[in-house]
């Protein structure tokens, strides 16, 4: 099946540092979504991207829809301890059909040391 | 906006019993709801997609007779784990989307199921 590859798998950073993570696919995506999941909770939608080249911000978070449509990037500036969590990218698989289901990457685990 | 609730948040049941999990969209009408299962430190695995008033579409390998899904209204979907076994213990999460923003799924807080 279609896979989304996220990197890095995990990151350990100091508070105040900037963070960058990415998501790649072997096939073209028309939509990229970025979610954050904290322990024991459901994922929360951070940013949705619908257009190649699109750059969208949500507070300290910025995500970009790659020009090739096969990748997306998420950046977090000036990290704080509450940024800790797993960040997932997601997008509709090529066989999405009419139900708008999503394929999720394996996630990037972010740890922020105060 | 786009708040999804799940109930219960945690449940412990004995092997062989059935457990029902509710998923509600609180401030919007959900044309489609999704049920996921998540193992520790793993990604979300889609189990099934349900549309209001129609039968759920199950992903390959998911037993529809074991995981019964009902989507009775535009704000409520239920997942019933029938004849639960310890291997069914997991974190179950629902999500909902609207027709207008159809790829954007809004997730519930999840239900931790433990089968003893």
């Amino acid at each position: 099946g279609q896979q989304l590859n996220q990197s890095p798998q995990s990151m350990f950073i100091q508070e105040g540092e900037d963070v960058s993570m990415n998501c790649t696919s072997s096939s073209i995506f028309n939509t990229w979504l970025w979610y954050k999941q904290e322990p024991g909770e459901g994922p929360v939608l951070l940013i949705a991207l619908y257009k190649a080249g699109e750059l969208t911000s949500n507070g300290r978070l910025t995500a970009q829809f790659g020009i090739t449509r096969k990748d997306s990037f998420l950046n977090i500036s000036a990290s704080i301890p509450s940024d800790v969590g797993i960040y997932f990218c997601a997008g509709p698989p090529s066989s999405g059909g009419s139900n708008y289901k999503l394929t999720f990457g394996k996630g990037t685990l972010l740890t922020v040391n105060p | 906006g786009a708040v999804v609730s799940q109930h219960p948040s945690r449940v412990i049941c004995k092997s062989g019993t059935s457990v029902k999990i509710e998923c509600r969209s609180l401030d919007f009408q959900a044309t489609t709801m999704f049920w996921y299962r998540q193992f520790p430190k793993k990604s979300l695995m889609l189990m099934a997609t349900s549309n209001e008033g129609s039968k759920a579409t199950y992903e390959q390998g998911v037993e529809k007779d074991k995981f019964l899904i009902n989507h009775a209204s535009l704000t409520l979907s239920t997942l019933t784990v029938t004849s639960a076994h310890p291997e069914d213990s997991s974190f179950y999460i629902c999500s909902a989307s609207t027709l207008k923003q159809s790829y954007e799924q809004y997730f519930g807080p999840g239900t931790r199921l433990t089968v003893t």
Side-chain angles (χ1 to χ4, degrees):
Chain A
Q2 194 165 22
Q3 289 188 339
L4 292 178
N5 301 306
Q6 282 191 250
S7 66
Q9 287 187 326
S10 61
M11 301 180 77
F12 297 84
I13 63 169
Q14 292 296 125
E15 183 177 0
E17 289 183 2
D18 295 342
V19 173
S20 185
M21 61 188 79
N22 69 68
C23 188
T24 60
S25 171
S26 58
S27 56
I28 289 174
F29 273 57
N30 292 317
T31 300
W32 288 97
L33 305 172
W34 284 94
Y35 287 88
K36 177 190 177 186
Q37 185 180 26
E38 298 186 16
E41 299 290 333
V44 173
L45 180 62
L46 300 173
I47 293 176
L49 302 164
Y50 290 97
K51 193 174 177 181
E54 181 181 352
L55 187 71
T56 299
S57 293
N58 178 4
R60 292 178 296 104
L61 277 64
T62 302
Q64 184 164 23
F65 193 140
I67 287 293
T68 66
R69 304 177 82 162
K70 293 184 177 181
D71 57 10
S72 179
F73 302 86
L74 176 69
N75 296 314
I76 304 173
S77 62
S79 60
I80 59 178
S82 61
D83 289 334
V84 165
I86 302 176
Y87 291 80
F88 291 102
C89 62
S94 55
S95 58
S98 60
N99 274 334
Y100 301 102
K101 61 183 182 182
L102 296 173
T103 294
F104 282 80
K106 293 186 177 180
T108 292
L109 173 62
L110 177 64
T111 303
V112 180
N113 296 317
Chain B
V3 179
V4 177
S5 70
Q6 269 184 254
H7 179 80
S9 57
R10 290 178 176 272
V11 58
I12 300 173
C13 71
K14 292 187 176 181
S15 189
T17 61
S18 295
V19 174
K20 180 185 284 188
I21 303 170
E22 291 188 349
C23 177
R24 294 180 185 271
S25 56
L26 299 184
D27 53 0
F28 67 102
Q29 292 187 326
T31 52
T32 308
M33 287 186 166
F34 304 83
W35 287 95
Y36 293 84
R37 183 173 180 177
Q38 188 177 34
F39 294 100
K41 298 185 179 181
K42 296 292 184 182
S43 189
L44 291 83
M45 182 188 79
L46 180 65
M47 298 174 67
T49 303
S50 73
N51 292 294
E52 183 260 342
S54 61
K55 289 184 179 180
T57 302
Y58 290 81
E59 294 300 299
Q60 191 172 7
V62 178
E63 299 176 60
K64 61 180 180 181
D65 294 330
K66 180 160 187 66
F67 299 99
L68 300 178
I69 292 172
N70 184 278
H71 194 154
S73 75
L74 284 172
T75 59
L76 173 65
S77 177
T78 60
L79 168 68
T80 301
V81 183
T82 62
S83 186
H85 289 106
E87 57 265 31
D88 297 325
S89 299
S90 192
F91 192 52
Y92 292 89
I93 319 174
C94 72
S95 70
S97 65
T98 66
L99 184 60
K100 184 179 179 182
Q101 297 170 319
S102 51
Y103 285 117
E104 295 178 15
Q105 293 181 23
Y106 299 91
F107 285 83
T111 297
R112 173 72 60 191
L113 170 64
T114 302
V115 184
T116 60

